[in-house]
Amino acid sequence: MPGSLGSLLLGLLIAAAASLTPRRSAVDLDVTPRMTIPHEELTGTRLFGGGTLNYSTLLLEEAAGLLLVGARGALFSLNSSDIADGAHREIRWEASAETQKDCLKKGKNNQTECFNHIRFLQRLNGTHLYVCGTHAFHPLCAVIDADKFTLPSSFEEGKEKCPYDPARGYTGLIVDGGLYTATRYEFRSLPDIRRSLHPRALKTEESPMHWLNDAEFVASVLVRESQGSSVGDDDKLYYFFTERATEENGGIFDRSRAARVARVARVCKGDLGGKKILQKKWTSFLKARLVCHVPFYEALQSVCSLDGGAWRSTLFYATFTLSTQWRSVEASAVCRYNLTEVQAAFAGPYMEYQDSSRKWGRYDGKVPEPRPGSCITDGLRRRGYNSSQDLPNSVLDFVKLHPLMAQEVGPAGGRPLLLKRNVLYTQLAVARVDALDGWPYDLLFMGTGDGWIHKAVVLGSGVHIIEEIQAFPEPQPVESLVISLAQHSLYVGAPSGVLQLPLSSCFRYDSCYACILARDPYCAWDGQRCCQVANGLEGAPLWPPPKNRTVIRGDDVLLACDQPSNLAWALWQLNGSRTLADGQEGYRVGVDGLLVTDSRPEQSGLYRCYAQENGLRTLLAAYALTVRPEPPGRRPPPNELTPAPVSPARVTADVKLAYILAIAVLGALCLVLGTVLLHVACRSRRRRGKFRPGLGPARAWPGVHLPVELHTVSGQSPGPDGGGAGDGAGPEGEPGPDHPAAHLQIIPGEAPAPSPARRPSPPPPPPPPPPSELPNGLGALPSMLRKMNGNSYVLLQQSEDGPPPHFSSLTEELSKFLEKRKHTQLVDKLDESSV
């Protein structure tokens, strides 16, 4: 019963989460991967396994072409272009037997914990690496020569740099020679953010209240905010973690919300601690809540940053899972955060711990100056505050008691990018890729708890999962992900080994539609196959190549652009940055293209037409437009339009030749015209002499013009007396000797009524039944409009009253025609114009 109640409650919460995103429902957020690739279908992969376990720490050195790997009791240096080429180097760094015995005495597991798990591996300087391991619950660190790749003769104590527990959350960075780490260091100690290998070692405050409450750290990111700063700001380090919280909030889910929440904290790189208060402690530590706007998705799993070329445009991508009480249900969310939103939270109001309620509430009192928790800037230096040790005691006291900010950091757009059921995302890696259409796209690689990789592209405010890849044959968690743009590879660290995957598999898309609908920014259709596009290819022409258009100032020019889809809309851009809209001065955007009216020289440039459909932008046409500034009436220079001078003798010869040709052509035309006129006159005279008696009633009304009907009469059609008489027939109704059986008959006025002396002609024989199906599979022709030659239409209709008298049935004629065509070979598609 409790399980059923929990499932019901979870369903209600998911429904409530959908109501929090009015423009995108939970169904829209739960994206299905477009393609599933099982492990046996993988191609172009490389697998490395060095005879150990837990390949969880990866360091990519693009310049050297190396992938450094930290595993359980070992370090490896692999060739980043092919990690399985067998040319790797190895360092064995096992925990000593005595250390392992001490680990067992502490009650730890000899199968998983009492080993030297490499937790930290980074470049210390240009020649050496810095490595730390748990060393069977007795952490050690070492400085390793990168070229020799051997262990040193001595080691450093690592209890303040590396965690004891291999399963404990941990993050670390080396910044300008200083080691910034965050974890629970000592055995049974409190979590902490520390700086070591620095003249001013710092840590977080523990009394009278803990700045960190049972924190599990996930990631740390350095943002160089001093570069290009107009205020002389300092570089900052951002830490992402999950911790236990007791603050009061007004949300409707607070009563049932889990006790653990996601956080982001910040410290300044130039922080030196306080002089009397907060000695050897951070004076710039502040933290704020990180929300994904989905109830109960509070467990932060992975964070990855993307700077986009400048620190001001830094983005943070984060994966969340359900909180601890929902561990039996697998579900994940992906959110994106802007650095500006994080900065706004740290510049907002503070929280204060209230002893009466034993909870955190918003602080509404006076805030001292300079602002507590801020970095030293040029403005503070001008006021005499050259370092954090110059800050007043009132500021340091306030920092000590108010580390928590009141404003939450919400996701960009106010909602998640992705909400995935039945999936546990454990790791995340992101790269920005320039596609062939000239636009950058954020490409996400998300590792799952059972060894799968989801490759996705961010399209606007959502995510399209291109494919899901089974990286390993046996289920195992993905522990680390690293992207190499230079090698076009994704490196996947897992308990059993390291896998190298290509960033794209364009060959899997065997048609143009499959290639385009995959929406992989690495893939493009070249007319014959889906091929890979190099990332950031400088100087590569965009397909299609631009067409040159040159007009005179004041002219109108139409730049054609046909949209292949009815669901797409046209987007025009000038010189890659300016978007053109319908109604702008000098521009009209229509379904057939862009009309540039009354063109001006400043409208010259490169015009591109894109088709936008369902978040996908495709380049359709490109034009290089040049508007010349010549005013109307100006005589063009000789080298542009004026022909070269010609000698008088050449002109005389050309004129004579033209006269002779003109006379010859006119003479031929006169001869042909005379022959035609003579033939028409003779034919008209013969007809008047031979067919005049056949007109019959016309002689009764001389001089009166009557309406004339033109009929097609078959030679098989019966005459008024049942014979085959027609126009030109003899007295007995026989056809004339000089005329065919089928001809045209001109009947003025009403058709002559049959003579009373004659009996009415018998009805014609019934037509044969039409064939039920033609030889090429087409059924009998219906009474419908049929298109002829792609331009005009003809109505094929069979009269229900039978054929009119004196004329054969169209059905009969058509049946004979089709009967004749049975003996000819028909093509697969019947040409309608032949019917």
Side-chain angles (χ1 to χ4, degrees):
M1 183 65 182
S4 302
L5 182 59
S7 301
L8 177 60
L9 179 58
L10 180 61
L12 293 175
L13 290 172
I14 293 176
S19 66
L20 294 178
T21 58
R23 286 184 290 177
R24 299 193 64 202
S25 64
V27 176
D28 296 330
L29 290 171
D30 190 2
V31 181
T32 301
R34 186 176 181 272
M35 180 178 290
T36 300
I37 304 175
H39 181 75
E40 57 270 15
E41 295 181 9
L42 291 180
T43 58
T45 61
R46 304 288 187 271
L47 178 64
F48 173 80
T52 184
L53 297 173
N54 301 112
Y55 301 79
S56 57
T57 305
L58 303 182
L59 174 63
L60 177 65
E61 298 202 320
E62 290 274 32
L66 297 176
L67 178 68
L68 303 179
V69 181
R72 193 182 79 174
L75 292 164
F76 303 95
S77 177
L78 310 179
N79 180 5
S80 61
S81 62
D82 184 359
I83 63 173
D85 62 355
H88 66 276
R89 293 189 292 172
E90 178 180 345
I91 294 177
R92 287 290 172 178
W93 188 12
E94 301 282 0
S96 64
E98 182 179 356
T99 307
Q100 287 183 333
K101 290 181 181 179
D102 291 339
C103 179
L104 291 175
K105 291 179 181 178
K106 297 176 182 178
K108 303 303 175 183
N109 192 327
N110 193 32
Q111 301 297 320
T112 58
E113 297 176 319
C114 294
F115 297 91
N116 186 23
H117 295 268
I118 306 300
R119 299 298 309 274
F120 186 84
L121 172 59
Q122 286 198 14
R123 173 71 63 167
L124 178 63
N125 50 43
T127 58
H128 289 77
L129 303 170
Y130 199 78
V131 185
C132 295
T134 60
H135 204 258
F137 274 74
H138 188 275
L140 291 179
C141 296
V143 178
I144 296 178
D145 189 304
D147 292 333
K148 297 179 180 179
F149 203 69
T150 57
L151 279 178
S153 57
S154 61
F155 301 95
E156 298 179 2
E157 187 68 37
K159 65 180 181 178
E160 294 185 353
K161 306 168 186 175
C162 180
Y164 283 63
D165 191 344
R168 175 64 60 182
Y170 173 74
T171 181
L173 289 174
I174 292 181
V175 179
D176 300 336
L179 176 61
Y180 297 79
T181 58
T183 187
R184 179 174 296 185
Y185 299 93
E186 301 176 5
F187 189 57
R188 296 192 180 96
S189 69
L190 297 174
D192 197 0
I193 296 176
R194 295 184 180 181
R195 180 174 68 189
S196 56
L197 303 182
H198 191 277
R200 296 281 185 172
L202 297 178
K203 58 186 296 186
T204 53
E205 178 62 39
E206 298 179 1
S207 61
M209 62 188 63
H210 303 310
W211 285 359
L212 297 169
N213 191 0
D214 192 21
E216 284 288 335
F217 289 91
V218 172
S220 54
V221 177
L222 169 68
V223 180
R224 297 282 189 180
E225 297 183 31
S226 64
Q227 297 180 355
S229 174
S230 60
V231 297
D233 205 351
D234 192 9
D235 296 337
K236 300 180 181 65
L237 289 97
Y238 293 88
Y239 293 87
F240 298 87
F241 55 96
T242 302
E243 72 169 355
R244 197 175 304 278
T246 58
E247 66 262 32
E248 292 180 345
N249 288 308
I252 60 175
F253 293 98
D254 282 345
R255 294 182 180 179
S256 58
R257 191 185 291 272
R260 301 190 67 84
V261 296
R263 302 282 197 204
V264 54
R266 184 206 71 184
V267 296
C268 301
K269 188 192 72 173
D271 195 340
L272 301 180
K275 189 173 184 179
K276 295 182 179 180
I277 302 174
L278 294 180
Q279 293 183 7
K280 298 184 179 180
K281 305 292 178 63
W282 298 102
T283 65
S284 57
F285 176 86
L286 296 174
K287 64 180 180 179
R289 185 171 178 180
L290 198 69
V291 297
C292 196
H293 282 333
V294 183
F296 283 99
Y297 285 81
E298 301 285 358
L300 192 62
Q301 294 292 328
S302 180
V303 175
C304 190
S305 65
L306 187 67
D307 61 8
W311 66 263
R312 291 179 177 85
S313 60
T314 299
L315 297 175
F316 302 109
Y317 285 92
T319 60
F320 296 81
T321 58
L322 290 171
S323 301
T324 54
Q325 71 267 34
W326 300 105
R327 285 180 179 175
S328 59
V329 179
E330 287 189 348
S332 299
V334 178
C335 279
R336 176 179 56 186
Y337 303 90
N338 297 319
L339 176 62
T340 55
E341 296 295 329
V342 178
Q343 292 175 326
F346 291 128
Y350 298 86
M351 298 281 279
E352 184 178 43
Y353 188 78
Q354 300 169 353
D355 294 331
S356 59
S357 61
R358 294 186 179 181
K359 289 186 178 181
W360 290 83
R362 182 187 178 103
Y363 174 77
D364 296 323
K366 184 179 179 181
V367 177
E369 287 290 337
R371 180 176 173 85
S374 59
C375 301
I376 302 298
T377 62
D378 291 341
L380 293 181
R381 294 185 186 98
R382 287 192 293 267
R383 296 168 58 184
Y385 305 110
N386 295 312
S387 72
S388 61
Q389 292 193 337
D390 298 328
L391 293 174
N393 292 339
S394 60
V395 172
L396 299 179
D397 280 331
F398 191 92
V399 170
K400 188 174 182 179
L401 299 176
H402 301 83
L404 180 62
M405 310 307 296
Q407 182 175 330
E408 297 177 342
V409 180
R415 55 191 175 278
L417 290 173
L418 177 67
L419 181 62
K420 200 79 186 76
R421 294 174 295 180
N422 302 320
V423 170
L424 179 63
Y425 288 138
T426 58
Q427 289 294 323
L428 172 69
V430 59
R432 182 156 291 177
V433 179
D434 291 328
L436 199 61
D437 62 358
W439 288 85
Y441 294 91
D442 290 351
L443 201 60
L444 306 180
F445 292 90
M446 297 166 286
T448 71
D450 54 356
W452 286 74
I453 303 294
H454 286 192
K455 175 184 175 182
V457 59
V458 180
L459 301 174
S461 60
V463 167
H464 168 70
I465 301 181
I466 301 172
E467 58 192 10
E468 56 178 354
I469 305 168
Q470 186 182 11
F472 300 95
E474 299 296 332
Q476 54 187 302
V478 173
E479 296 179 341
S480 55
L481 289 174
V482 174
I483 296 175
S484 171
L485 297 179
Q487 301 297 336
H488 195 71
S489 296
L490 174 72
Y491 305 101
V492 185
S496 64
V498 182
L499 182 67
Q500 180 181 1
L501 291 169
L503 293 182
S504 62
S505 301
C506 304
F507 67 91
R508 297 185 184 276
Y509 312 122
D510 55 0
S511 68
C512 180
Y513 286 104
C515 185
I516 293 175
L517 292 177
R519 303 183 185 181
D520 191 333
Y522 277 118
C523 300
W525 186 259
D526 66 352
Q528 297 180 346
R529 61 188 180 90
C530 192
C531 56
Q532 177 183 316
V533 180
N535 177 58
L537 190 61
E538 297 181 359
L542 292 177
W543 186 91
K547 300 177 182 179
N548 295 321
R549 293 288 186 270
T550 303
V551 297
I552 305 299
R553 177 175 183 172
D555 291 348
D556 297 342
V557 58
L558 176 65
L559 306 180
C561 182
D562 294 330
Q563 296 292 328
S565 172
N566 295 328
L567 302 179
W569 58 276
L571 173 68
W572 283 91
Q573 283 194 340
L574 175 58
N575 296 328
S577 60
R578 181 184 175 188
T579 301
L580 305 178
D582 186 30
Q584 281 184 325
E585 183 181 359
Y587 296 105
R588 293 300 304 272
V589 178
V591 295
D592 52 353
L594 175 69
L595 179 63
V596 184
T597 61
D598 194 16
S599 58
R600 305 180 303 277
E602 56 267 24
Q603 291 176 313
S604 300
L606 181 61
Y607 290 80
R608 288 193 180 100
C609 175
Y610 298 90
Q612 290 218 147
E613 179 182 354
N614 197 19
L616 179 65
R617 180 175 295 176
T618 305
L619 181 64
L620 298 180
Y623 296 91
L625 178 63
T626 302
V627 181
R628 292 182 176 176
E630 295 89 350
R634 186 187 73 85
R635 187 169 184 175
N639 59 350
E640 291 186 3
L641 299 177
T642 306
V646 184
S647 63
R650 175 67 180 273
V651 172
T652 303
D654 292 343
V655 171
K656 289 181 180 179
L657 180 60
Y659 284 158
I660 295 174
L661 291 177
I663 292 172
V665 171
L666 290 176
L669 290 176
C670 292
L671 180 61
V672 172
L673 183 60
T675 303
V676 171
L677 292 176
L678 180 61
H679 176 74
V680 170
C682 295
R683 189 176 182 86
S684 175
R685 182 179 300 275
R686 288 175 58 195
R687 287 185 175 180
R688 284 199 302 268
K690 190 163 187 177
F691 298 110
R692 180 67 179 175
L695 294 178
R699 291 174 295 184
W701 300 283
V704 179
H705 298 283
L706 300 176
V708 179
E709 293 183 358
L710 183 63
H711 295 269
T712 300
V713 184
S714 172
Q716 303 287 334
S717 60
D721 56 354
D727 190 17
E732 299 299 324
E734 296 292 332
D738 299 330
H739 303 281
H743 49 268
L744 295 177
Q745 181 179 12
I746 300 177
I747 305 175
E750 297 289 339
S755 173
R758 287 189 176 185
R759 293 178 300 175
S761 59
S772 60
E773 187 172 350
L774 302 183
N776 65 342
L778 296 177
L781 294 175
S783 298
M784 60 179 295
L785 273 174
R786 296 297 298 254
K787 191 173 183 180
M788 304 290 289
N789 299 325
N791 297 318
S792 57
Y793 293 83
V794 62
L795 180 61
L796 303 181
Q797 184 171 2
Q798 301 177 10
S799 173
E800 299 179 357
D801 299 330
H806 314 294
F807 309 107
S808 62
S809 166
L810 175 62
T811 304
E812 179 182 357
E813 295 290 334
L814 185 58
S815 299
K816 292 180 179 180
F817 177 76
L818 295 176
E819 184 67 21
K820 180 180 179 180
R821 291 198 59 176
K822 285 183 178 180
H823 304 288
T824 63
Q825 183 177 1
L826 297 178
V827 295
D828 293 339
K829 183 177 181 182
L830 183 64
D831 185 3
E832 296 179 349
S833 62
S834 65
V835 179

